[in-house]
Amino acid sequence: GGGAGSTGATTMLDDAKVPSRLAVKKMSAQVSIEAKRKEEAEIRRKKLMERMENKGATGEGEKQDDARIGLTAKFKAQKASGDRLSIGHKPPTLPDGVTMRDDPMTK
């Protein structure tokens, strides 16, 4: 009887140390997402460096640090987003050539 009881206790302790299937899946997903995010960030950084080198004529473009490149990219993204938002989209119910500002008889 004593040997069986002690075996069960060690099994319980071993089970406590072994993560569950869901915990392993969650950790694996987090690790893979983090690796993918770092990889995509590196690709974006390389593209930005390439753009800056192509755009800039002097060696100063090569000396810029990552923070400045990041700020430039953020500014460009903000400008592009603002441009997309500022375009007026017509409602799908209006026929072509008619705007919301037209008088009701024209509509």
Side-chain angles (χ1 to χ4, degrees):
S6 63
T7 306
T10 55
T11 306
M12 293 286 281
L13 291 175
D14 290 342
D15 287 345
K17 293 178 185 178
V18 176
S20 69
R21 180 176 167 269
L22 293 175
V24 170
K25 284 177 70 174
K26 185 176 180 181
M27 288 176 9
S28 174
Q30 287 175 347
V31 169
S32 64
I33 288 170
E34 182 69 20
K36 186 176 180 181
R37 186 186 63 78
K38 285 182 180 180
E39 185 177 310
E40 289 173 351
E42 183 65 24
I43 290 170
R44 280 196 306 269
R45 190 184 69 76
K46 285 181 181 179
K47 285 182 180 178
L48 286 171
M49 288 291 288
E50 188 176 303
R51 272 193 221 143
M52 296 299 273
E53 288 175 4
N54 290 342
K55 182 182 176 188
T58 64
E60 181 184 295
E62 296 174 4
K63 295 178 185 176
Q64 290 180 340
D65 59 342
D66 289 342
R68 184 170 177 137
I69 291 171
L71 288 174
T72 303
K74 185 177 180 181
F75 176 73
K76 287 180 181 179
Q78 286 176 345
K79 182 154 178 51
S81 178
D83 291 344
R84 281 194 308 270
L85 289 173
S86 65
I87 295 173
H89 300 284
K90 74 177 194 79
T93 57
L94 288 179
D96 291 336
V98 178
T99 65
M100 288 295 292
R101 292 187 178 186
D102 289 337
D103 63 295
M105 296 305 290
T106 306
K107 291 181 187 177

XYZ file of all heavy atoms in Angstrom:
797
model
N 0.794 -1.197 0.000
C 0.000 0.000 0.000
C 0.823 1.241 0.000
O 0.506 2.177 -0.682
N 2.002 1.273 0.784
C 2.781 2.505 0.909
C 3.454 2.874 -0.404
O 3.566 4.030 -0.758
N 3.905 1.856 -1.174
C 4.563 2.135 -2.449
C 3.615 2.736 -3.462
O 3.958 3.623 -4.202
N 2.378 2.262 -3.501
C 1.400 2.778 -4.456
C 1.038 4.221 -4.135
O 0.883 5.052 -5.020
C 0.148 1.906 -4.457
N 0.921 4.537 -2.834
C 0.579 5.896 -2.428
C 1.683 6.876 -2.780
O 1.440 7.981 -3.235
N 2.939 6.493 -2.582
C 4.044 7.399 -2.882
C 4.196 7.577 -4.388
O 4.549 8.652 -4.861
C 5.342 6.867 -2.257
O 5.671 5.621 -2.837
N 3.897 6.556 -5.168
C 3.966 6.677 -6.620
C 2.925 7.667 -7.122
O 3.199 8.493 -7.974
C 3.745 5.307 -7.294
O 4.661 4.375 -6.749
C 3.922 5.406 -8.781
N 1.733 7.582 -6.537
C 0.674 8.518 -6.918
C 1.046 9.948 -6.578
O 0.765 10.872 -7.322
N 1.717 10.167 -5.462
C 2.115 11.513 -5.051
C 3.164 12.079 -6.004
O 3.102 13.244 -6.383
C 2.635 11.494 -3.618
N 4.111 11.245 -6.431
C 5.125 11.750 -7.354
C 4.515 12.040 -8.719
O 4.908 12.976 -9.389
C 6.287 10.744 -7.503
O 5.748 9.485 -7.894
C 7.075 10.616 -6.231
N 3.537 11.247 -9.119
C 2.851 11.498 -10.385
C 2.119 12.834 -10.337
O 2.137 13.595 -11.293
C 1.862 10.360 -10.704
O 2.557 9.133 -10.669
C 1.229 10.552 -12.059
N 1.490 13.108 -9.197
C 0.784 14.387 -9.048
C 1.778 15.542 -9.140
O 1.498 16.556 -9.764
C 0.043 14.427 -7.701
C -1.108 13.442 -7.603
S -2.521 13.953 -8.556
C -3.191 15.172 -7.445
N 2.963 15.388 -8.532
C 3.971 16.447 -8.586
C 4.493 16.618 -10.004
O 4.704 17.734 -10.468
C 5.122 16.145 -7.618
C 4.798 16.228 -6.134
C 5.994 15.775 -5.303
C 4.413 17.651 -5.751
N 4.722 15.505 -10.699
C 5.190 15.578 -12.082
C 4.155 16.262 -12.964
O 4.489 17.063 -13.822
C 5.488 14.178 -12.619
C 6.718 13.565 -11.960
O 7.505 14.343 -11.368
O 6.870 12.336 -12.039
N 2.880 15.948 -12.749
C 1.816 16.567 -13.539
C 1.761 18.072 -13.310
O 1.438 18.835 -14.204
C 0.458 15.942 -13.204
C 0.321 14.529 -13.769
O 1.144 14.184 -14.642
O -0.579 13.790 -13.330
N 2.060 18.501 -12.100
C 2.034 19.932 -11.803
C 3.147 20.663 -12.552
O 3.005 21.826 -12.911
C 2.162 20.160 -10.306
N 4.250 19.976 -12.818
C 5.379 20.592 -13.514
C 5.185 20.598 -15.031
O 5.735 21.434 -15.727
C 6.670 19.863 -13.176
C 7.083 20.020 -11.731
C 8.338 19.236 -11.461
C 8.695 19.290 -9.990
N 9.875 18.491 -9.687
N 4.422 19.668 -15.545
C 4.195 19.552 -16.984
C 3.036 20.459 -17.377
O 1.943 20.334 -16.835
C 3.881 18.089 -17.372
C 3.560 17.986 -18.856
C 5.027 17.181 -17.015
N 3.268 21.396 -18.325
C 2.170 22.280 -18.728
C 1.089 21.519 -19.493
O 1.360 20.516 -20.151
C 2.847 23.309 -19.627
C 4.125 22.692 -20.048
C 4.506 21.692 -19.008
N -0.116 22.005 -19.383
C -1.221 21.346 -20.079
C -1.118 21.584 -21.581
O -0.342 22.424 -22.048
C -2.555 21.901 -19.566
O -2.708 23.242 -19.991
N -1.896 20.860 -22.325
C -1.897 20.976 -23.781
C -2.254 22.395 -24.219
O -1.638 22.969 -25.119
C -2.898 19.971 -24.350
C -3.010 19.979 -25.846
C -3.957 18.858 -26.313
N -4.304 19.034 -27.684
C -5.360 19.721 -28.118
N -6.168 20.298 -27.258
N -5.614 19.847 -29.403
N -3.259 22.981 -23.556
C -3.672 24.337 -23.913
C -2.593 25.358 -23.593
O -2.374 26.303 -24.354
C -4.975 24.700 -23.190
C -6.203 23.906 -23.615
C -7.400 24.275 -22.756
C -6.509 24.164 -25.080
N -1.894 25.150 -22.469
C -0.807 26.065 -22.101
C 0.329 25.982 -23.118
O 0.899 27.006 -23.519
C -0.305 25.744 -20.700
N 0.642 24.773 -23.550
C 1.696 24.597 -24.552
C 1.287 25.261 -25.873
O 2.089 25.948 -26.514
C 2.008 23.099 -24.765
C 2.917 22.892 -25.961
C 2.627 22.511 -23.507
N 0.040 25.074 -26.272
C -0.442 25.693 -27.510
C -0.378 27.213 -27.417
O 0.018 27.894 -28.360
C -1.878 25.249 -27.805
C -1.988 23.842 -28.355
C -3.422 23.421 -28.569
C -4.049 24.158 -29.707
N -5.400 23.679 -30.034
N -0.772 27.752 -26.268
C -0.771 29.203 -26.078
C 0.651 29.754 -26.131
O 0.916 30.760 -26.786
C -1.427 29.553 -24.739
C -1.586 31.024 -24.518
C -2.324 31.314 -23.228
C -2.474 32.798 -23.009
N -3.166 33.108 -21.765
N 1.573 29.070 -25.447
C 2.970 29.511 -25.456
C 3.541 29.425 -26.866
O 4.255 30.332 -27.315
C 3.803 28.665 -24.490
C 3.521 28.964 -23.034
S 4.375 27.948 -21.793
C 5.551 26.990 -22.668
N 3.221 28.370 -27.577
C 3.707 28.196 -28.941
C 3.172 29.291 -29.851
O 3.908 29.851 -30.667
C 3.295 26.829 -29.471
O 3.650 26.701 -30.825
N 1.901 29.623 -29.705
C 1.295 30.681 -30.514
C 1.955 32.021 -30.217
O 2.250 32.790 -31.139
C -0.200 30.755 -30.251
N 2.215 32.290 -28.935
C 2.855 33.552 -28.564
C 4.254 33.645 -29.144
O 4.637 34.693 -29.684
C 2.915 33.689 -27.044
C 1.582 33.976 -26.403
C 1.656 33.979 -24.885
O 2.636 33.534 -24.295
N 0.599 34.471 -24.257
N 5.005 32.564 -29.066
C 6.361 32.558 -29.589
C 6.350 32.760 -31.103
O 7.125 33.552 -31.653
C 7.091 31.245 -29.211
C 8.393 31.093 -29.973
C 7.337 31.199 -27.714
N 5.451 32.067 -31.792
C 5.421 32.188 -33.249
C 4.944 33.564 -33.682
O 5.473 34.134 -34.642
C 4.537 31.092 -33.856
O 3.202 31.249 -33.439
N 3.969 34.124 -32.983
C 3.488 35.470 -33.319
C 4.593 36.491 -33.097
O 4.804 37.397 -33.920
C 2.229 35.816 -32.494
C 1.035 35.016 -33.003
C 1.935 37.310 -32.547
C -0.195 35.108 -32.111
N 5.324 36.360 -32.004
C 6.419 37.284 -31.704
C 7.514 37.177 -32.766
O 8.030 38.184 -33.235
C 6.999 36.972 -30.315
C 8.097 37.891 -29.884
C 7.633 39.301 -29.599
O 6.426 39.509 -29.372
O 8.495 40.214 -29.607
N 7.861 35.956 -33.172
C 8.884 35.766 -34.199
C 8.427 36.368 -35.524
O 9.209 37.026 -36.218
C 9.189 34.284 -34.360
N 7.159 36.151 -35.870
C 6.624 36.699 -37.119
C 6.617 38.221 -37.085
O 6.968 38.879 -38.058
C 5.199 36.163 -37.338
C 4.608 36.548 -38.671
C 3.238 35.910 -38.855
C 2.634 36.286 -40.183
N 1.315 35.711 -40.368
N 6.251 38.798 -35.928
C 6.217 40.245 -35.791
C 7.618 40.840 -35.951
O 7.812 41.833 -36.652
C 5.650 40.630 -34.426
C 5.448 42.124 -34.247
C 5.033 42.482 -32.846
N 6.053 42.137 -31.859
C 7.163 42.837 -31.631
N 7.404 43.925 -32.318
N 8.021 42.440 -30.721
N 8.614 40.205 -35.336
C 9.989 40.687 -35.448
C 10.483 40.588 -36.889
O 11.156 41.491 -37.393
C 10.913 39.888 -34.529
C 10.772 40.262 -33.076
C 11.741 39.479 -32.223
C 11.601 39.844 -30.760
N 12.545 39.098 -29.908
N 10.127 39.505 -37.547
C 10.540 39.309 -38.936
C 9.924 40.375 -39.841
O 10.597 40.963 -40.685
C 10.121 37.914 -39.388
C 10.592 37.533 -40.772
C 10.194 36.106 -41.116
O 10.451 35.197 -40.317
O 9.618 35.923 -42.205
N 8.626 40.646 -39.653
C 7.956 41.665 -40.459
C 8.512 43.060 -40.174
O 8.668 43.871 -41.089
C 6.447 41.641 -40.205
C 5.775 40.425 -40.791
C 4.310 40.317 -40.407
O 3.841 41.105 -39.545
O 3.626 39.455 -40.977
N 8.841 43.334 -38.910
C 9.422 44.627 -38.553
C 10.780 44.790 -39.228
O 11.108 45.886 -39.716
C 9.550 44.755 -37.045
N 11.565 43.735 -39.273
C 12.871 43.792 -39.925
C 12.712 44.025 -41.428
O 13.444 44.815 -42.027
C 13.645 42.495 -39.661
C 15.039 42.481 -40.227
C 15.952 43.501 -39.590
O 15.698 43.919 -38.449
O 16.930 43.898 -40.259
N 11.741 43.371 -42.048
C 11.496 43.568 -43.476
C 11.084 45.010 -43.747
O 11.574 45.646 -44.679
C 10.422 42.579 -43.982
C 10.982 41.153 -43.982
C 9.934 42.965 -45.370
C 9.941 40.081 -44.226
N 10.165 45.545 -42.898
C 9.745 46.937 -43.063
C 10.922 47.889 -42.897
O 11.069 48.853 -43.638
C 8.655 47.289 -42.044
C 7.280 46.820 -42.437
C 6.209 47.506 -41.611
N 6.412 47.381 -40.174
C 5.932 46.423 -39.415
N 5.201 45.468 -39.950
N 6.168 46.401 -38.123
N 11.775 47.616 -41.907
C 12.927 48.480 -41.661
C 13.873 48.463 -42.858
O 14.361 49.515 -43.285
C 13.666 48.033 -40.398
C 14.728 49.024 -39.945
C 15.497 48.500 -38.758
N 16.341 47.374 -39.096
C 17.500 47.470 -39.751
N 17.942 48.622 -40.146
N 18.208 46.384 -40.011
N 14.088 47.280 -43.432
C 14.965 47.197 -44.597
C 14.387 47.950 -45.786
O 15.103 48.645 -46.508
C 15.208 45.728 -44.975
C 16.159 45.021 -44.040
C 16.378 43.583 -44.458
C 17.302 42.871 -43.500
N 17.515 41.465 -43.883
N 13.065 47.818 -46.004
C 12.421 48.543 -47.105
C 12.540 50.047 -46.907
O 12.797 50.787 -47.855
C 10.953 48.142 -47.218
C 10.728 46.788 -47.835
C 9.248 46.489 -47.960
C 9.013 45.136 -48.571
N 7.586 44.810 -48.648
N 12.338 50.491 -45.663
C 12.452 51.920 -45.382
C 13.875 52.408 -45.607
O 14.082 53.490 -46.152
C 12.016 52.209 -43.942
C 10.525 52.146 -43.692
C 10.231 52.236 -42.210
C 9.833 53.270 -44.427
N 14.841 51.628 -45.173
C 16.245 52.001 -45.391
C 16.525 52.114 -46.884
O 17.189 53.051 -47.337
C 17.181 50.961 -44.759
C 17.224 50.986 -43.251
S 18.004 52.452 -42.611
C 19.704 52.109 -43.038
N 16.001 51.165 -47.655
C 16.208 51.179 -49.096
C 15.574 52.424 -49.719
O 16.168 53.086 -50.560
C 15.613 49.915 -49.694
C 15.933 49.719 -51.156
C 15.396 48.386 -51.648
O 15.763 47.348 -51.074
O 14.602 48.422 -52.608
N 14.342 52.743 -49.287
C 13.663 53.936 -49.798
C 14.425 55.206 -49.450
O 14.553 56.099 -50.266
C 12.255 54.034 -49.209
C 11.233 53.304 -49.993
C 9.847 53.706 -49.538
N 9.016 52.528 -49.483
C 8.090 52.273 -48.596
N 7.837 53.151 -47.650
N 7.396 51.179 -48.625
N 14.898 55.254 -48.203
C 15.630 56.445 -47.776
C 16.924 56.594 -48.572
O 17.318 57.699 -48.924
C 15.926 56.375 -46.276
C 14.683 56.391 -45.412
S 13.710 57.872 -45.608
C 14.522 58.884 -44.410
N 17.605 55.477 -48.840
C 18.841 55.537 -49.618
C 18.558 55.953 -51.052
O 19.297 56.730 -51.644
C 19.550 54.189 -49.591
C 20.171 53.879 -48.245
C 20.758 52.488 -48.187
O 20.739 51.792 -49.218
O 21.217 52.104 -47.100
N 17.470 55.429 -51.617
C 17.123 55.803 -52.982
C 16.690 57.260 -53.064
O 16.973 57.942 -54.029
C 15.999 54.906 -53.509
C 16.457 53.486 -53.740
O 17.644 53.223 -53.836
N 15.516 52.568 -53.819
N 15.992 57.722 -52.040
C 15.492 59.097 -52.027
C 16.614 60.071 -51.705
O 16.775 61.092 -52.355
C 14.367 59.229 -50.999
C 13.758 60.608 -50.942
C 12.694 60.680 -49.880
C 12.166 62.097 -49.766
N 11.266 62.248 -48.638
N 17.372 59.774 -50.666
C 18.433 60.672 -50.225
C 19.630 60.585 -51.140
O 20.018 59.526 -51.600
N 20.256 61.716 -51.405
C 21.393 61.739 -52.317
C 22.719 61.594 -51.574
O 23.683 61.082 -52.108
C 21.394 63.029 -53.120
N 22.794 62.041 -50.324
C 24.059 62.067 -49.612
C 24.217 60.854 -48.705
O 23.305 60.067 -48.527
C 24.147 63.343 -48.752
O 23.125 63.278 -47.754
C 23.949 64.578 -49.592
N 25.387 60.751 -48.084
C 25.673 59.671 -47.150
C 24.934 59.827 -45.836
O 24.942 58.937 -45.014
N 24.318 60.979 -45.612
C 23.584 61.206 -44.369
C 22.435 60.219 -44.226
O 22.113 59.792 -43.130
C 23.048 62.634 -44.331
C 22.284 62.961 -43.065
C 21.679 64.340 -43.097
O 22.436 65.316 -43.121
O 20.447 64.413 -43.115
N 21.806 59.849 -45.341
C 20.707 58.891 -45.306
C 21.132 57.556 -44.722
O 20.367 56.893 -44.039
N 22.375 57.160 -44.970
C 22.878 55.896 -44.446
C 23.155 55.996 -42.952
O 23.113 54.994 -42.249
C 24.148 55.504 -45.198
C 23.909 55.243 -46.668
C 25.210 54.988 -47.413
O 26.262 54.936 -46.772
O 25.150 54.836 -48.631
N 23.424 57.192 -42.455
C 23.792 57.366 -41.056
C 22.587 57.541 -40.139
O 22.736 57.580 -38.935
C 24.716 58.582 -40.912
C 26.043 58.412 -41.615
C 26.891 59.643 -41.486
C 28.170 59.516 -42.280
N 28.961 60.738 -42.252
N 21.400 57.677 -40.711
C 20.215 57.886 -39.878
C 19.952 56.669 -39.020
O 20.083 55.543 -39.460
C 18.993 58.175 -40.748
C 19.046 59.515 -41.422
C 17.823 59.755 -42.264
O 17.148 58.817 -42.626
N 17.552 60.999 -42.573
N 19.553 56.929 -37.779
C 19.270 55.824 -36.875
C 17.856 55.303 -37.081
O 17.034 55.909 -37.756
C 19.480 56.222 -35.416
C 18.599 57.394 -35.017
O 18.102 58.091 -35.912
O 18.416 57.603 -33.805
N 17.583 54.149 -36.476
C 16.289 53.493 -36.643
C 15.141 54.343 -36.126
O 14.044 54.305 -36.671
C 16.275 52.144 -35.934
C 17.146 51.121 -36.633
O 17.469 51.347 -37.816
O 17.489 50.106 -36.010
N 15.369 55.120 -35.079
C 14.299 55.946 -34.512
C 13.822 56.979 -35.525
O 12.622 57.194 -35.696
C 14.780 56.629 -33.245
N 14.752 57.611 -36.215
C 14.381 58.630 -37.206
C 13.648 57.988 -38.379
O 12.678 58.541 -38.892
C 15.624 59.365 -37.686
C 15.297 60.475 -38.634
C 16.497 61.330 -38.913
N 16.122 62.330 -39.873
C 16.462 63.584 -39.795
N 17.187 63.995 -38.792
N 16.098 64.434 -40.715
N 14.096 56.823 -38.791
C 13.428 56.118 -39.887
C 12.018 55.730 -39.456
O 11.066 55.861 -40.219
C 14.243 54.870 -40.301
C 15.543 55.324 -40.954
C 13.461 54.001 -41.264
C 16.505 54.214 -41.214
N 11.889 55.281 -38.212
C 10.569 54.924 -37.697
C 9.633 56.123 -37.673
O 8.455 56.009 -38.017
N 10.144 57.279 -37.256
C 9.322 58.493 -37.237
C 8.902 58.900 -38.645
O 7.763 59.313 -38.875
C 10.079 59.642 -36.563
C 10.243 59.520 -35.055
C 11.140 60.636 -34.521
C 8.889 59.566 -34.368
N 9.821 58.779 -39.577
C 9.503 59.112 -40.970
C 8.420 58.184 -41.501
O 7.469 58.627 -42.139
C 10.769 58.989 -41.845
O 11.779 59.841 -41.316
C 10.476 59.391 -43.276
N 8.548 56.894 -41.204
C 7.545 55.924 -41.654
C 6.198 56.213 -41.006
O 5.152 56.135 -41.665
C 7.989 54.506 -41.321
N 6.212 56.568 -39.723
C 4.968 56.865 -39.019
C 4.297 58.091 -39.632
O 3.088 58.105 -39.849
C 5.269 57.108 -37.537
C 4.065 57.307 -36.672
C 4.491 57.455 -35.224
C 3.313 57.667 -34.331
N 3.708 57.847 -32.930
N 5.082 59.103 -39.944
C 4.533 60.312 -40.551
C 3.919 60.007 -41.922
O 2.827 60.463 -42.247
C 5.620 61.375 -40.686
C 5.164 62.614 -41.395
C 4.309 63.500 -40.770
C 5.562 62.878 -42.698
C 3.869 64.632 -41.425
C 5.129 64.004 -43.354
C 4.284 64.889 -42.720
N 4.633 59.220 -42.720
C 4.119 58.864 -44.049
C 2.825 58.066 -43.939
O 1.885 58.269 -44.712
C 5.159 58.059 -44.832
C 6.319 58.895 -45.330
C 7.302 58.045 -46.098
C 8.473 58.865 -46.590
N 9.444 58.045 -47.328
N 2.769 57.144 -42.965
C 1.558 56.350 -42.777
C 0.395 57.226 -42.330
O -0.732 57.052 -42.784
C 1.815 55.242 -41.748
N 0.681 58.198 -41.450
C -0.367 59.115 -41.004
C -0.876 59.952 -42.162
O -2.076 60.181 -42.303
C 0.155 60.024 -39.893
C 0.315 59.337 -38.572
C 0.931 60.247 -37.529
O 1.490 61.288 -37.862
N 0.840 59.841 -36.282
N 0.018 60.417 -42.994
C -0.377 61.239 -44.143
C -1.226 60.423 -45.116
O -2.258 60.897 -45.590
C 0.852 61.795 -44.854
C 0.530 62.683 -46.026
C 1.632 63.669 -46.283
C 1.364 64.541 -47.470
N 0.080 65.190 -47.479
N -0.817 59.188 -45.385
C -1.585 58.328 -46.285
C -2.962 58.038 -45.702
O -3.969 58.046 -46.424
C -0.829 57.026 -46.544
N -3.036 57.804 -44.405
C -4.317 57.545 -43.757
C -5.216 58.770 -43.835
O -6.409 58.654 -44.115
C -4.086 57.146 -42.303
O -5.306 56.933 -41.661
N -4.647 59.932 -43.596
C -5.415 61.172 -43.690
C -5.930 61.407 -45.096
O -7.072 61.848 -45.293
N -5.106 61.106 -46.081
C -5.537 61.260 -47.479
C -6.686 60.321 -47.805
O -7.638 60.690 -48.493
C -4.364 60.989 -48.432
C -3.296 62.073 -48.366
O -3.598 63.170 -47.831
O -2.168 61.827 -48.833
N -6.612 59.080 -47.300
C -7.692 58.126 -47.551
C -8.988 58.585 -46.887
O -10.065 58.439 -47.450
C -7.315 56.735 -47.018
C -6.378 55.973 -47.918
C -6.312 54.513 -47.514
N -6.022 54.311 -46.112
C -4.813 54.197 -45.572
N -3.764 54.268 -46.352
N -4.670 54.011 -44.283
N -8.877 59.126 -45.674
C -10.068 59.557 -44.955
C -10.682 60.818 -45.550
O -11.879 61.040 -45.432
C -9.744 59.788 -43.479
C -9.478 58.534 -42.666
C -9.008 58.907 -41.272
C -10.723 57.685 -42.571
N -9.859 61.659 -46.162
C -10.368 62.930 -46.669
C -11.109 62.782 -47.995
O -11.810 63.692 -48.417
C -9.225 63.935 -46.830
O -8.330 63.492 -47.828
N -10.965 61.650 -48.649
C -11.675 61.428 -49.914
C -13.145 61.191 -49.602
O -13.489 60.363 -48.774
C -11.100 60.207 -50.666
C -9.659 60.490 -51.073
C -11.943 59.874 -51.878
C -8.973 59.286 -51.668
N -13.994 61.939 -50.272
C -15.425 61.772 -50.037
C -15.951 60.534 -50.740
O -15.791 60.375 -51.941
N -16.579 59.674 -50.002
C -17.165 58.475 -50.593
C -18.659 58.716 -50.778
O -19.337 59.139 -49.854
C -16.944 57.261 -49.688
C -15.491 56.968 -49.465
N -14.707 56.376 -50.418
C -14.679 57.210 -48.413
C -13.482 56.256 -49.956
N -13.437 56.762 -48.740
N -19.151 58.429 -51.949
C -20.580 58.664 -52.193
C -21.397 57.478 -51.690
O -20.937 56.341 -51.741
C -20.850 58.917 -53.668
C -20.784 57.720 -54.562
C -21.148 58.119 -55.980
C -21.412 56.905 -56.822
N -22.698 56.305 -56.645
N -22.583 57.749 -51.216
C -23.448 56.641 -50.773
C -23.799 55.741 -51.965
O -23.960 56.226 -53.092
C -24.690 57.349 -50.250
C -24.267 58.739 -49.960
C -23.160 59.042 -50.923
N -23.922 54.456 -51.745
C -24.185 53.532 -52.849
C -25.558 53.728 -53.482
O -25.792 53.245 -54.584
C -24.073 52.145 -52.213
C -24.270 52.365 -50.762
C -23.787 53.754 -50.468
N -26.451 54.445 -52.811
C -27.802 54.613 -53.354
C -27.905 55.732 -54.372
O -28.895 55.816 -55.099
C -28.798 54.902 -52.216
O -28.357 56.057 -51.500
C -28.890 53.712 -51.274
N -26.894 56.606 -54.441
C -26.941 57.714 -55.393
C -26.449 57.267 -56.759
O -25.476 56.532 -56.868
C -26.074 58.877 -54.911
C -26.601 59.671 -53.731
C -25.609 60.769 -53.367
C -27.941 60.279 -54.033
N -27.103 57.731 -57.828
C -26.605 57.410 -59.175
C -25.319 58.167 -59.478
O -24.981 59.141 -58.798
C -27.754 57.861 -60.089
C -28.542 58.824 -59.285
C -28.338 58.474 -57.850
N -24.610 57.731 -60.503
C -23.369 58.396 -60.890
C -23.655 59.831 -61.314
O -24.663 60.114 -61.964
C -22.700 57.643 -62.050
C -22.167 56.288 -61.603
O -21.907 56.136 -60.396
O -22.015 55.408 -62.463
N -22.738 60.731 -60.963
C -22.880 62.121 -61.343
C -23.725 62.937 -60.383
O -23.901 64.137 -60.570
N -24.297 62.333 -59.360
C -25.126 63.038 -58.391
C -24.419 62.992 -57.040
O -23.913 61.950 -56.641
C -26.525 62.389 -58.286
C -27.369 63.097 -57.245
C -27.211 62.403 -59.632
N -24.366 64.135 -56.353
C -23.738 64.188 -55.042
C -24.781 64.465 -53.973
O -25.921 64.817 -54.279
C -22.669 65.299 -54.990
O -23.308 66.560 -55.152
C -21.627 65.107 -56.082
N -24.372 64.345 -52.717
C -25.272 64.615 -51.603
C -25.678 66.090 -51.558
O -26.736 66.438 -51.063
C -24.604 64.235 -50.272
C -24.479 62.750 -50.049
S -26.058 61.910 -49.876
C -26.622 62.554 -48.323
N -24.850 66.959 -52.105
C -25.119 68.396 -52.041
C -26.090 68.862 -53.117
O -26.545 69.999 -53.073
C -23.820 69.176 -52.145
C -22.962 68.967 -50.927
C -21.772 69.863 -50.953
N -20.980 69.671 -49.730
C -19.960 70.393 -49.414
N -19.566 71.369 -50.205
N -19.299 70.161 -48.295
N -26.370 68.023 -54.073
C -27.329 68.403 -55.100
C -28.717 68.560 -54.464
O -29.037 67.916 -53.477
C -27.394 67.349 -56.209
C -26.135 67.346 -57.049
O -25.432 68.383 -57.070
O -25.863 66.319 -57.685
N -29.519 69.413 -55.074
C -30.861 69.620 -54.529
C -31.715 68.367 -54.760
O -31.409 67.560 -55.631
C -31.506 70.857 -55.161
C -31.707 70.689 -56.646
O -30.691 70.575 -57.386
O -32.864 70.659 -57.090
N -32.775 68.205 -53.993
C -33.598 66.992 -54.099
C -34.168 66.752 -55.492
O -34.363 65.606 -55.885
C -34.718 67.226 -53.095
C -34.160 68.205 -52.126
C -33.207 69.058 -52.893
N -34.449 67.806 -56.257
C -35.015 67.617 -57.594
C -33.965 67.018 -58.555
O -34.326 66.240 -59.441
C -35.520 68.953 -58.153
C -36.686 69.528 -57.337
S -38.072 68.374 -57.174
C -38.679 68.358 -58.845
N -32.715 67.361 -58.360
C -31.652 66.790 -59.208
C -31.448 65.325 -58.874
O -31.190 64.510 -59.753
C -30.334 67.566 -58.998
O -30.579 68.952 -59.207
C -29.268 67.088 -59.958
N -31.559 65.011 -57.607
C -31.377 63.615 -57.187
C -32.478 62.776 -57.757
O -32.379 61.669 -58.115
C -31.396 63.511 -55.646
C -30.186 64.133 -54.989
C -30.295 63.964 -53.505
C -29.192 64.733 -52.793
N -29.295 64.666 -51.359
